[in-house]
Amino acid sequence: MNKLELPLANKSLGQHFLKDQGVISRICSDFKGEAEAIVEIGPGPGILTESLATRAKEEGIPFFVIEKDDRFPDYLRQFIHEDQITMTDALAVNLSEWFKEKGIADKKIWLVSNLPYNISTPLLINFLQATEIKFMTLMFQKEVADKVFPFSTTRNFMGSLHALNQAYFDSALLIKVPPGAFVPAPKVDSAVLTMTRKEIPLVPMEEFHKLEKFLRLLFSQRRKQLGGMLKASFPIELIQQSFESINVPLTIRGEALTLDQVLNLYRMLKK
Ligand SMILES: C[S@@+](CC[C@H](N)C(=O)[O-])C[C@H]1O[C@@H](n2cnc3c(N)ncnc32)[C@H](O)[C@@H]1O
């Protein structure tokens, strides 16, 4: 059968279709021999899905996708079976329940996505909390990738997304991707991160929301001195004591903290 022509991209669903074979094969060959099940979010017309389906078959491992755009099942059925496709809003899915339904909750799940950029951060936050996901290969807009895992600067550059991600995953840059690798070309550069869940999280998963809330506060005004900013939320003596114990002045700005310092502050100031 001839492959169906690519449909028109729907910008409101963040659709930019990958066309660069080099990028496609780098993504699809990540975590070879380690993943026990594959999940793709936002397969679209199946550009990554085709290679992922071949790999899943070769390795004899289950493969499922979640897509929101009703136009795509016809395309996806060229590569996978109807039962492997869930048509819904990925943001609304309780992933742990869904993994159970699919019979893959006890497998080491590898999640792959060329993310819809408009919702990449809330999706990532959901992925971090689904502990069945052990590996991720995710395409982000470069600026967002850089916040998750700062790779384009050599100086320390702490932020809330970076700290949250590093508490649960070890990350690295897999590949930078120029706009020309997609149709239609986005206005921004992109980057793919490869991420492995830490065996022991730096902060227990039960405290995820508490940590997230604390980090939002800590990095809410990046340019402000932390001591002054935190005064509105914590007693000054506690702030002084905490900063002394991690050996930083009250005048420090959030972005200059190390991950250890951020997490120690969290442990001392959490409510
Ligand atoms: C950047 S495109 C990637 C398409 C294809 N995987 C590729 O690599 O070329 C993002 C995909 O996510 C889908 N998408 C957008 N919002 C979604 C949502 N809330 N839930 C599930 N899929 C969504 C889009 O329809 C689109 O197929």
Side-chain angles (χ1 to χ4, degrees), residues 5 27 36 39 55 57-58 63 66 95 97 100 102 104 114 119 142 147 168 202-203 211 229 254 261-262 271:
E5 289 282 314
I27 294 174
E36 296 173 351
V39 169
R55 180 167 153 188
K57 255 190 212 135
E58 281 169 5
F63 175 35
I66 300 178
L95 288 169
E97 286 299 317
K100 260 190 228 150
K102 299 293 168 198
I104 57 171
N114 171 9
I119 53 168
K142 180 177 162 286
K147 282 190 185 153
Y168 300 99
L202 302 182
V203 173
L211 173 65
M229 207 189 82
Q261 289 168 336
V262 170
K271 290 178 181 168

Side-chain angles (χ1 to χ4, degrees), residues 107-240:
K107 308 235 178 269
K108 288 184 182 161
I109 296 174
W110 172 39
L111 188 131
V112 185
S113 184
N114 171 9
L115 290 166
Y117 292 167
N118 45 347
I119 53 168
S120 59
T121 304
L123 279 174
L124 174 66
I125 287 175
N126 286 356
F127 301 159
L128 295 180
Q129 293 172 81
T131 52
E132 300 83 355
I133 301 171
K134 304 295 186 214
F135 313 106
M136 300 199 276
T137 306
L138 301 178
M139 170 97 71
F140 294 91
Q141 174 179 342
K142 180 177 162 286
E143 280 66 28
V144 179
D146 226 2
K147 282 190 185 153
V148 177
F149 178 73
F151 59 85
S152 64
T153 167
T154 47
R155 77 188 171 94
N156 186 58
F157 201 76
M158 189 45 67
S160 60
L161 209 48
H162 180 43
L164 192 65
N165 182 57
Q166 292 292 97
Y168 300 99
F169 275 83
D170 292 317
S171 307
L173 173 70
L174 185 70
I175 182 170
K176 290 185 200 170
V177 187
F182 304 87
V183 271
K187 292 202 177 76
V188 292
D189 284 326
S190 302
V192 181
L193 298 183
T194 176
M195 304 155 84
T196 304
R197 188 174 290 277
K198 286 180 159 61
E199 290 216 355
I200 302 173
L202 302 182
V203 173
M205 189 49 78
E206 306 80 69
E207 293 183 26
F208 187 92
H209 293 293
K210 209 186 253 193
L211 173 65
E212 192 189 4
K213 196 169 153 213
F214 176 77
L215 294 173
R216 285 226 179 101
L217 171 72
L218 197 65
F219 295 102
S220 55
Q221 301 176 62
R222 302 181 72 92
R223 312 249 154 248
K224 275 211 175 164
Q225 299 183 350
L226 280 183
M229 207 189 82
L230 292 174
K231 265 196 308 209
S233 309
F234 304 96
I236 184 68
E237 302 74 35
L238 182 59
I239 299 175
Q240 276 164 346

Side-chain angles (χ1 to χ4, degrees), residues 17-33:
F17 305 125
L18 257 174
K19 64 171 185 182
D20 185 311
Q21 275 309 325
V23 175
I24 295 168
S25 82
R26 280 297 289 282
I27 294 174
C28 295
S29 50
D30 209 13
F31 296 113
K32 270 237 161 101

Side-chain angles (χ1 to χ4, degrees), residues 13-18 42-44 47 67-68 89-90 114 116 119:
L13 287 175
Q15 291 176 359
H16 295 279
F17 305 125
L18 257 174
I47 292 148
E67 170 59 60
K68 186 173 176 186
D89 176 354
N114 171 9
I119 53 168

